């Protein structure tokens, strides 16, 4: 069938289904699939329709040891792959629920698993880059709770001498799934849905390559409607730092409810509002373009002080609290500031010690109310911290923390001068104190 150009407005009835289907994929997959009363605003959409194809679903998961912000990075790699897949036929990215995270230890918030993406992110913004749906909604349209095929990505057992793109089905080096021989099914973690969700086909795939290198493998396989890539962090970004990378990053806007809480804190304690700081967001990120220096930021220094596991595992990079305070004081004097906001995973006693070295300044930390904590959990509080850091006049982070990196990208999107963003605290022994690479935004 040849390519047919149609516009939604006034299209022929026999084309209405494919048009609605593609529109659903492009913007509101779940709404169209589930909401009987849903009516698209047809004036906005102009589409090229080749043929009506039912969508396929790509799922993924990440090594359980990885934290929240590395997972955000893996999302971008997979989102770019799914965007590429959509050039040929419709695919929907199924968002892996958040949970079972090593760093999310709070006991007073109930279980931190099966958390939907909408708790943390604005799905409408994500959908301006790629069609996505929540895993719980995927289960609604897959009543058998089967994922047709699962590929567990792994490195090459023998290692490598020369980097080249390749992939091979190989015996599993490690296999966290278990086989139920009575039912002839594989079960696994499946985002906390261990009992319900299953697959008949599980294979291990040794891969060295970029995310979109998997495209031919996925498109040539025409039998599976749903395919999951586990350990998706094995594949690399297609092109780190290019404009498509940044589109994916810009689409990852935090959920409005979390931004509101952070903005209230800024207003109440830090004399910071978007209007005064020149950080007003456009509703639609695709329309937003800022130059470096457009954003002024609130009258405070923000610091991401990574502690916990980093104090043990990155001893050479993490300063003592006293040395961190020394660096903060120096910056406060240079920038002529009185307020400092500290985002940290440090226990309260460490925060108290840091504060004791900074008596001449107003030192703030965001402490959630019990309601906010139980609703948004450790992940939500981390986002609030990041959003407050992103709006300061000047930011200084911790070496090689993806938590700090995501704050840096946020500040690039808002239009800060890179000199006020790409900074880090140093350990007292580190005399050179090399500053982070400046990964500047590309439109
Ligand atoms: O985000 P993340 O991947 O960053 O993991 P790194 C750190 C987690 O610790 C965050 C908490 O997601 C939060 O739950 N956390 C850290 C914080 N800093 C703060 C903070 O300032 N405020 C709040 N509220 N929470 C990587 C891990 O950590 O370190 C990897 O992703 C691995 O799994 C590696 O462990 C060594 O990049 O800092």
């Amino acid at each position: 069938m040849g390519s047919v150009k149609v516009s939604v407005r006034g299209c022929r009835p026999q084309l209405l289904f494919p048009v609605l289907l593609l529109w659903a994929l492009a913007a509101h997959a779940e709404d169209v699939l589930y909401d009987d009363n849903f009516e698209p605003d047809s004036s906005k959409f102009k589409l090229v329709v080749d043929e009506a194809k039912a969508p396929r679903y790509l799922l993924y998961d990440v090594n359980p040891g990885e934290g929240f912000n590395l997972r955000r990075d893996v999302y971008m790699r997979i989102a770019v792959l799914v965007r590429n897949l959509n050039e040929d036929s419709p695919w929907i990215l199924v968002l892996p629920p958040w949970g079972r995270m090593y760093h999310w230890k709070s006991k007073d918030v109930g279980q931190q698993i099966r958390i939907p993406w909408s708790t943390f992110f604005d799905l409408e913004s994500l959908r301006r880059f790629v069609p996505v749906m929540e895993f719980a909604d995927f289960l609604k349209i897959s009543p058998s709770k089967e994922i047709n095929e699962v590929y567990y990505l792994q490195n090459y057992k023998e290692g490598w001498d020369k980097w080249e793109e390749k992939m091979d089905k190989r015996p599993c080096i490690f296999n966290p799934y278990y086989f139920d021989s009575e039912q002839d099914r594989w079960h696994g973690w499946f985002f906390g849905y261990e009992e319900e969700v299953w697959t008949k086909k599980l294979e291990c795939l040794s891969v060295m390559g970029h995310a979109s290198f998997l495209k031919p493998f996925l498109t040539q396989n025409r039998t599976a409607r749903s395919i999951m890539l586990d350990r998706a962090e094995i594949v690399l970004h297609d092109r780190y730092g290019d404009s498509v990378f940044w589109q994916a990053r810009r689409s990852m806007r935090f959920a409005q409810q979390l931004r509101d809480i952070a903005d209230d804190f800024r207003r109440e304690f830090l004399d910071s509002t978007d209007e005064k700081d020149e950080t007003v967001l456009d509703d639609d990120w695709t329309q937003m373009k800022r130059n470096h220096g457009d954003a002024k930021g609130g009258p405070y220094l923000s610091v991401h002080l990574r502690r916990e596991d980093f104090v043990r595992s990155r001893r050479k990079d993490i300063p003592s609290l006293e040395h961190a305070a020394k660096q903060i004081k120096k910056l406060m004097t240079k920038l002529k500031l009185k307020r400092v906001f500290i985002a940290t995973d440090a226990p309260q006693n460490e925060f108290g010690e840091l504060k004791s070295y900074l008596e001449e300044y107003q030192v703030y930390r965001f402490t959630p109310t019990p309601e906010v904590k139980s609703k948004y959990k450790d992940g939500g509080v981390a986002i609030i911290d990041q959003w407050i850091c992103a709006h300061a006049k000047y930011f200084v982070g911790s070496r090689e923390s993806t938590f700090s990196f995501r704050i840096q990208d946020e500040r690039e999107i808002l239009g800060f001068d890179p000199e006020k963003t790409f900074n880090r605290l140093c350990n007292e022994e580190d005399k050179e104190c090399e500053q982070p690479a400046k990964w500047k935004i590309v439109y």
Side-chain angles (χ1 to χ4, degrees), residues 67-82:
F68 183 54
N69 288 291
L70 185 94
R71 284 165 188 270
R72 286 174 62 189
D73 184 81
V74 177
Y75 167 81
M76 289 166 58
R77 304 177 209 183
I78 301 302
V80 171
L81 164 64
V82 173

Side-chain angles (χ1 to χ4, degrees), residues 44-56:
K44 287 187 192 151
F45 302 96
K46 207 163 189 212
L47 299 165
V48 177
V49 178
D50 272 329
E51 53 185 300
K53 288 178 185 166
R56 301 176 73 195

Side-chain angles (χ1 to χ4, degrees), residues 105-320:
K105 293 186 183 138
S106 293
K107 301 250 180 308
D108 49 347
V109 296
Q111 269 204 321
Q112 304 203 53
I113 58 166
R114 299 189 182 192
I115 303 173
W117 275 59
S118 58
T119 305
F120 299 146
F121 294 96
D122 176 349
L123 296 202
E124 206 179 312
S125 274
L126 295 178
R127 288 189 182 120
R128 291 186 205 275
F129 182 70
V130 81
V132 297
M133 81 193 312
E134 298 275 18
F135 185 68
D137 291 324
F138 168 76
L139 291 183
K140 284 187 209 153
I141 53 164
S142 326
S144 66
K145 314 253 182 291
E146 178 188 9
I147 297 174
N148 298 143
E149 296 179 7
V150 175
Y151 294 95
Y152 189 76
L153 308 188
Q154 57 186 13
N155 293 313
Y156 280 85
K157 197 176 177 183
E158 65 277 22
W160 52 281
D161 321 311
K162 166 166 90 84
W163 198 89
E164 58 183 325
E165 287 205 301
K166 58 178 183 176
M167 58 185 284
D168 294 282
K169 284 184 186 167
R170 286 281 183 92
C172 298
I173 302 168
F174 171 74
N175 179 1
Y177 292 82
Y178 52 94
F179 190 64
D180 174 350
S181 48
E182 265 173 38
Q183 301 226 56
D184 193 27
R185 293 171 173 185
W186 289 95
H187 283 274
W189 165 245
F190 290 126
F191 323 107
Y193 294 80
E194 281 172 287
E195 300 303 322
E196 301 106 292
V197 178
W198 53 279
T199 184
K200 266 206 184 308
K201 183 166 174 180
L202 168 73
E203 285 183 307
C204 285
L205 208 56
S206 288
V207 186
M208 186 156 44
H210 300 96
S212 292
F213 178 64
L214 297 177
K215 180 176 174 179
F217 172 73
L218 296 168
T219 49
Q220 281 154 23
N221 166 351
R222 294 183 186 278
T223 49
R225 184 137 302 283
S226 52
I227 300 183
M228 173 164 160
L229 304 172
D230 197 349
R231 298 292 309 267
E233 77 284 356
I234 297 275
V235 291
L236 308 174
H237 281 283
D238 280 7
R239 278 176 299 278
Y240 194 89
D242 75 352
S243 66
V244 178
F245 168 98
W246 277 102
Q247 284 170 41
R249 178 64 186 83
R250 287 154 68 209
S251 75
M252 297 190 82
R253 277 209 176 155
F254 292 135
Q256 183 69 54
Q257 62 270 21
L258 294 174
R259 286 187 271 141
D260 287 347
I261 296 168
D263 291 345
D264 287 347
F265 185 91
R266 286 167 54 211
R267 190 176 314 107
E268 189 171 347
F269 299 105
L270 300 167
D271 188 24
S272 161
T273 64
D274 286 339
E275 290 71 24
K276 280 197 283 192
D277 302 354
E278 300 186 38
T279 50
V280 177
L281 287 183
D282 294 11
D283 288 343
D284 175 355
W285 61 264
T286 65
Q287 304 303 311
M288 180 166 158
K289 188 171 177 192
R290 296 286 183 273
N291 295 312
H292 286 123
D294 283 353
K296 301 288 173 266
Y300 59 100
L301 168 71
S302 67
V303 181
H304 174 229
L305 181 71
R306 185 73 162 83
R307 300 289 296 172
E308 288 284 356
D309 47 326
F310 268 37
V311 177
R312 295 181 296 276
S313 63
R314 306 202 173 197
R315 224 173 287 166
K316 285 206 202 98
D317 297 328
I318 296 297
S320 67

